[in-house]
Amino acid sequence: MTGTDVLDLWDASAREHPDAPALVTAHRVLSYRDADRLTDAWAASLAARGARPGELVGLAFGDPARTVLGMLAALKAGAGFTVLDERLPPAARAELVHRTAAAVWLGDGGHAPEGAYVPAAPDGGEGADGTEGPGAARPAARAAASDAAYVLFTSGSTGRPKGTVVERDALRRFAGAVAGRLGLTPRDRWLQVASLGFDVLIEEVFPAFAAGAAVVCREDSRALDAEELHIALSRTRTTVVELSTQYWLEYARWLEHTGTTTPAALRTVVVGGERMDPRPYRAWQARQPAGLAHVYGLTECTVSSTFYTGLLPDDAEEVPLGTPLRDVEISIRRDGRRVPDGETGEIHIGGPLLARGFLDDEAATARRFVPDPEASRPGARLYVTGDLGRIDADGQLVFRGRADDQIKIRGHRLEPARVERALCAVAGVDQAVVFPDPEAGTALWAFTVPADPAAAPLPGGAERLTGADRDALVAPLEAELPDWAVPRVLYRVSALPKNPHGKVDKRRLATWATAGTGAGAPPVPRAPRPGPGDPLGGVLDLFREVLDAPGLGPDDDFFDHGGQSLLAMRLLARLRESHPAAAGLRASALFASPTPRLLAKALTDRENART
């Protein structure tokens, strides 16, 4: 895998494996030859509209396949690309469109900016603007290694999202290194499942193309639940897939519950994004034929930096983050100086895979990308991750927590202070604290102190907010923050308790929440269950099980009680086991029927329609 530009990797695959599948969709398989001709035409169209080295092409498709083709076409035009996440609130989307100042936008989704177009359909037909299908030659512009390959926005853990600028040379090195580490070949198929605005998309696409493998795309960008994922893996003969830690846990739970093993063709599941519990990791390795690759990395360092693919020892207390990819330098430091192996310090990442920095933000770039005081080569930089770690006796990087209050929620980095500030900006809120739910860590809990003491519950108690009270706090946050950063379970307390160190005692808050009315209070009673033969009973039981809420009633809202996308997947998977009418029902059905009563009625209506 040689060459000086990331496109050299693509060109080598297209030249050596022209008839091999490059892009697999539900309706068509594009060979490397077909995809090469098509993206040449797209690149020519982009170049005619101003795409060139130093410029960006914006992508706003709802279709993953078109997004992948757009990324390749932008690089062929000499430009970089950025991907607009359709899940962002409209105001946040508009801000990102303004900040990227893309020369041209491709897209056809409802979130696409004005002026976006489709140069040619993936089937080689006529584009939305009347452009002819494949046939135009690739533009002659040749980008430099230091030109931007893409700009993707991090979660904005401390405020507005930061646009990370990754150069073409970093992308080339990364694609080749991952392809080599995972042993990818033209026989591999990598299923694309990440959200289109998430940096994991880069890892799903470019290493596969570097190896002459195929990228398998879903029909749309909606998340697949565990059963749908399993069906997609089987149907497409996928060999590699990458899942966030919590998504993988849902899939592992489903496999265990149904007594199923991974599809025969699947050989590697890449997992990362959050700390990994060793117990499910060992259970998977003991039972599932597909191997695991545990990865660690950050958007600012070109996705993944380390990989662990070994068998986890029985006495391991953590799943290692692994060893560095080629061209990645990992060091553990205190005050900029390396510490001996085995000692804990802050993880620093160096080497040519580092991003250029943050888009139009020199101050933030200088804070996080720092000169390496120990480097022998001029200009060497380090990225200061904020993660704590150590190098164990086997040379593996091991995660040891955070150096600050930053957390990871569903694979995204977040400083709770960002959400706490937003909550305190809502009228009537004096103080707020936010942290992940202690049980699963997949949703945010928020505890607020009202400005009016008369509105507070008794000291030592936590009052669960529902209905209009909850909506008054959530609605302003939904307009400002991405879905995963919005607390779904909210409580009101009279004061935030402190521990002996003067910090908010989150453990005591969680205890108050679990008790319902304060420490030592009796557990929440189970609400009455519908009588025998009433289909509502089974649905209500599953709501209570998935949400761990025995007091949940027939008209309680799934999302008001901590429900989110991963738990919705779990609920639908459990429903399919006992309700034939739930077959084919997507997790999005919960938005239309968010209570046990409404969902039970929807299932009854589906059953009646089938008979």
Side-chain angles (χ1 to χ4, degrees):
M1 299 179 186
T2 59
T4 58
D5 187 76
V6 63
L7 283 180
D8 294 334
L9 303 179
W10 167 268
D11 289 338
S13 293
R15 182 174 60 253
E16 296 168 12
H17 314 284
D19 298 316
L23 198 64
V24 178
T25 73
H27 306 292
R28 185 178 177 188
V29 176
L30 283 175
S31 69
Y32 270 88
R33 178 186 290 109
D34 293 337
D36 195 42
R37 292 174 177 170
L38 178 59
T39 50
D40 278 355
W42 282 35
S45 176
L46 289 171
R49 288 166 171 80
R52 58 183 181 272
E55 299 285 353
L56 290 177
V57 170
L59 303 174
F61 291 111
D63 174 12
R66 283 186 169 182
T67 302
V68 172
L69 292 169
M71 294 192 298
L72 188 57
L75 292 172
K76 286 187 173 185
F81 61 83
T82 189
V83 182
L84 188 61
D85 191 339
E86 63 182 344
R87 302 169 304 164
L88 290 174
R93 291 203 304 266
E95 182 188 7
L96 296 194
V97 170
H98 173 73
R99 288 172 61 188
T100 54
V104 57
W105 278 91
L106 300 183
D108 57 0
H111 63 300
E114 183 178 356
Y117 77 104
V118 183
D123 61 2
E126 190 172 279
D129 65 344
T131 306
E132 294 183 358
R138 184 189 305 186
R142 183 74 176 182
S146 59
D147 283 330
Y150 63 84
V151 174
L152 289 182
F153 285 83
T154 63
S155 51
S157 60
T158 58
R160 69 198 301 241
K162 295 181 177 64
T164 302
V165 184
V166 173
E167 297 176 349
R168 295 174 77 103
D169 185 59
L171 179 56
R172 173 186 68 85
R173 291 172 182 268
F174 169 76
V178 174
R181 178 64 68 94
L182 294 179
L184 299 180
T185 74
R187 295 184 296 277
D188 279 305
R189 292 182 167 212
W190 195 314
L191 179 64
Q192 193 283 308
V193 297
S195 300
L196 298 184
F198 201 21
D199 68 345
V200 173
L201 172 67
I202 303 298
E203 190 156 76
E204 294 172 321
V205 171
F206 290 98
F209 286 161
V215 176
V216 180
C217 288
R218 300 161 290 152
E219 291 190 65
D220 54 49
S221 59
R222 291 181 298 172
L224 303 172
D225 66 31
E227 183 177 2
E228 291 169 330
L229 172 66
H230 187 74
I231 292 170
L233 293 170
S234 301
R235 177 176 52 81
T236 60
R237 303 188 306 281
T238 289
T239 63
V240 181
V241 66
E242 182 159 359
L243 307 175
S244 69
T245 304
Q246 293 297 332
Y247 193 2
W248 172 77
L249 285 170
E250 287 300 318
Y251 183 43
R253 183 180 287 110
W254 181 85
L255 290 172
E256 181 69 24
H257 188 81
T258 58
T260 309
T261 56
T262 51
L266 185 67
R267 67 176 182 85
T268 301
V269 180
V270 182
V271 184
E274 297 175 59
R275 178 192 171 272
M276 171 65 71
D277 188 327
R279 291 171 296 178
Y281 201 88
R282 288 193 192 95
W284 177 287
Q285 291 188 321
R287 185 173 182 271
Q288 298 298 339
L292 291 174
H294 190 218
V295 299
Y296 165 77
L298 302 97
T299 305
E300 295 89 342
C301 305
T302 314
V303 201
S304 296
S305 297
T306 65
F307 279 65
Y308 175 73
T309 55
L311 280 175
L312 190 64
D314 292 338
D315 60 348
E317 297 179 355
E318 293 286 339
V319 181
L321 302 179
T323 56
L325 285 176
R326 183 176 67 239
D327 290 326
V328 173
E329 301 166 6
I330 298 290
S331 58
I332 308 299
R333 304 190 181 212
R334 293 196 206 103
D335 300 322
R337 299 293 177 181
R338 295 175 189 263
V339 302
D341 288 354
E343 292 190 15
T344 297
E346 190 169 6
I347 300 172
H348 289 62
I349 302 178
L353 267 63
L354 291 192
R356 177 191 299 170
F358 298 118
L359 182 68
D360 298 329
D361 195 338
E362 294 182 2
T365 298
R367 283 194 302 270
R368 305 300 290 189
F369 295 85
V370 302
D372 184 353
E374 298 182 356
S376 56
R377 65 180 187 279
R381 299 180 303 152
L382 295 170
Y383 183 75
V384 184
T385 68
D387 291 329
L388 299 177
R390 64 180 178 86
I391 303 297
D392 70 12
D394 297 321
Q396 305 282 350
L397 177 64
V398 179
F399 181 71
R400 302 294 292 170
R402 285 289 301 178
D404 51 27
D405 291 330
Q406 193 178 103
I407 61 174
K408 275 217 169 177
I409 190 80
R410 289 155 62 185
H412 299 273
R413 286 178 286 154
L414 176 72
E415 289 197 12
R418 179 187 178 195
V419 186
E420 292 162 1
R421 286 194 298 270
L423 279 168
C424 290
V426 179
V429 175
D430 183 51
Q431 294 177 280
V433 66
V434 171
F435 55 89
D437 67 283
E439 182 65 27
T442 60
L444 289 177
W445 285 9
F447 292 79
T448 62
V449 177
D452 180 3
L458 293 174
E463 176 189 355
R464 180 74 172 265
L465 299 182
T466 59
D469 287 341
R470 176 186 177 277
D471 293 345
L473 293 182
V474 169
L477 270 61
E478 289 180 327
E480 178 183 346
L481 303 171
D483 173 75
W484 52 265
V486 176
R488 297 300 171 187
V489 177
L490 295 97
Y491 293 91
R492 182 182 291 145
V493 295
S494 62
L496 297 177
K498 301 295 196 299
N499 62 25
H501 303 288
K503 294 187 176 182
V504 174
D505 192 335
K506 297 173 185 176
R507 212 174 265 184
R508 199 186 317 176
L509 285 172
T511 299
W512 290 356
T514 303
T517 56
V524 177
R526 179 181 289 272
R529 187 184 188 280
D534 188 340
L536 173 58
V539 175
L540 179 58
D541 285 345
L542 290 177
F543 267 69
R544 291 169 172 171
E545 173 193 318
V546 169
L547 293 173
D548 191 23
L552 195 80
D555 298 305
D556 286 333
D557 189 288
F558 179 81
F559 299 101
D560 283 355
H561 288 76
Q564 33 78 10
S565 58
L566 287 170
L567 292 180
M569 291 180 186
R570 188 185 306 176
L571 176 62
L572 265 294
R574 296 284 285 116
L575 277 170
R576 292 194 193 102
E577 298 165 11
S578 54
H579 294 71
L585 199 66
R586 300 295 295 262
S588 56
L590 278 169
F591 289 103
S593 305
T595 71
R597 192 185 307 280
L598 289 174
L599 190 57
K601 183 180 184 302
L603 292 172
T604 300
D605 291 345
R606 284 170 64 92
E607 183 63 33
N608 292 338
R610 292 167 50 183
T611 58

